[in-house]
Amino acid sequence: MASTLVKNIISTEKQTIDQFLSKQGKIYTFLNPVSYLTALDNKKLFEQFDGIFADGSILVAAIKLLYGKSITRRSFDMTSLAPQLLSYAEQNKKTIYIVASKQEQVEKAVGIFKERYPNLQISGYRNGYFTSDSEMDKEAKYITEINPDFLIVGMGALMQEQFLLKVKLAGFKGIGFTCGGFIHQTSKDEIEYYPVWADKLNLRFIYRMYKEKHTRKRYLQAAFLFPIRFILERFK
């Protein structure tokens, strides 16, 4: 029996990029082997998302091996979905609102986006750190009021999903995506974060472990725990 998470990933695969970028009132997130473990313990939260993308070749391979389904690897970075969304927004005069990372980092990233996409309409942005639930609720209400076409949220696994769902439940009519560490990476003048060789060889997680020391522990934990829990989820 397929887990609800894998069912959502397989269902999401049936849609096209144009559908993701044009169907309003939808929210999407991404799972890799690390965040998949988090999602297993928070299924009710992730089941409320309109689509889940398989972020990483390992998860794609695992679904192919145990479920026999071919899934496209999609990540919110410049090797996958991000340039498609940014180009689409620029060409179709769609607005984007960003909640992610630290304030100086999101400001730097927005500047880089505008250099790359000069006609991109950024309707607003702020950091992804909230001091209280009430501040988060206030921001969700504000986003709903200005109603950007796209909302990009990068606050780390679980927090970003909780906030994006909160915005949707507040009445947001646009399209929302989580983005993980994309804004943080872009702020370092690394919008093209992964070198060509790492992308082609599907060694992006290895490269990230090299670049970002704080990711090493959780990647190593996932290396042991993900296969076990993924298999148990498949056959329980």
Side-chain angles (χ1 to χ4, degrees), residues 75-89:
S75 303
F76 203 99
D77 59 33
M78 295 303 286
T79 69
S80 185
L81 189 58
Q84 294 172 303
L85 186 152
L86 294 171
S87 294
Y88 177 89

Side-chain angles (χ1 to χ4, degrees), residues 7-221:
K7 284 181 180 178
N8 198 326
I9 292 172
I10 293 173
S11 176
T12 303
E13 177 68 20
K14 298 176 182 179
Q15 302 180 60
T16 66
I17 292 296
D18 285 343
Q19 288 176 313
F20 297 136
L21 300 180
S22 60
K23 285 188 175 181
Q24 295 185 331
K26 305 292 184 181
I27 57 173
Y28 303 94
T29 192
F30 301 77
L31 290 179
N32 56 37
V34 177
S35 56
Y36 189 90
L37 297 175
T38 300
L40 281 177
D41 297 325
N42 297 274
K43 287 183 181 178
K44 289 185 178 180
L45 170 63
F46 285 82
E47 286 170 359
Q48 296 180 75
F49 276 72
D50 298 291
I52 299 177
F53 300 102
D55 175 7
S57 56
I58 293 177
L59 181 54
V60 167
I63 294 174
K64 177 66 175 178
L65 179 64
L66 293 185
Y67 293 89
K69 298 293 185 179
S70 296
I71 302 297
T72 304
R73 172 247 165 196
R74 290 193 173 102
S75 303
F76 203 99
D77 59 33
M78 295 303 286
T79 69
S80 185
L81 189 58
Q84 294 172 303
L85 186 152
L86 294 171
S87 294
Y88 177 89
E90 182 184 42
Q91 294 168 9
N92 293 278
K93 298 181 179 179
K94 301 294 185 180
T95 56
I96 294 177
Y97 194 94
I98 301 172
V99 178
S101 201
K102 296 179 180 179
Q103 190 64 28
E104 61 269 23
Q105 292 171 337
V106 69
E107 290 175 1
K108 182 72 178 295
V110 167
I112 292 172
F113 292 148
K114 289 183 176 180
E115 289 179 5
R116 178 72 68 92
Y117 303 92
N119 295 316
L120 190 65
Q121 298 181 34
I122 305 290
S123 59
Y125 56 86
R126 62 150 289 161
N127 64 75
Y129 293 86
F130 293 91
T131 58
S132 64
D133 287 339
S134 61
E135 183 186 3
M136 193 177 290
D137 290 338
K138 183 178 179 181
E139 181 68 13
K141 182 180 179 181
Y142 174 70
I143 292 171
T144 300
E145 290 173 350
I146 66 172
N147 199 40
D149 295 298
F150 294 106
L151 172 61
I152 300 172
V153 181
M155 299 166 60
L158 203 56
M159 286 295 296
Q160 59 189 10
E161 282 82 14
Q162 291 172 340
F163 179 71
L164 188 51
L165 180 60
K166 183 184 288 288
V167 176
K168 180 179 180 179
L169 294 177
F172 178 57
K173 301 301 182 184
I175 304 167
F177 293 90
T178 63
C179 72
F182 178 60
I183 299 300
H184 171 72
Q185 294 163 358
T186 301
S187 70
K188 297 180 178 180
D189 288 321
E190 294 178 332
I191 189 170
E192 305 288 356
Y193 182 75
Y194 296 105
V196 174
W197 63 264
D199 186 37
K200 285 187 175 181
L201 296 175
N202 285 323
L203 295 176
R204 289 171 294 271
F205 74 100
I206 297 287
Y207 181 76
R208 191 174 182 192
M209 288 175 67
Y210 162 72
K211 291 281 288 185
E212 301 180 46
K213 293 182 180 180
H214 70 276
T215 66
R216 295 174 186 175
K217 182 178 179 179
R218 65 174 186 247
Y219 275 127
L220 290 173
Q221 287 177 334

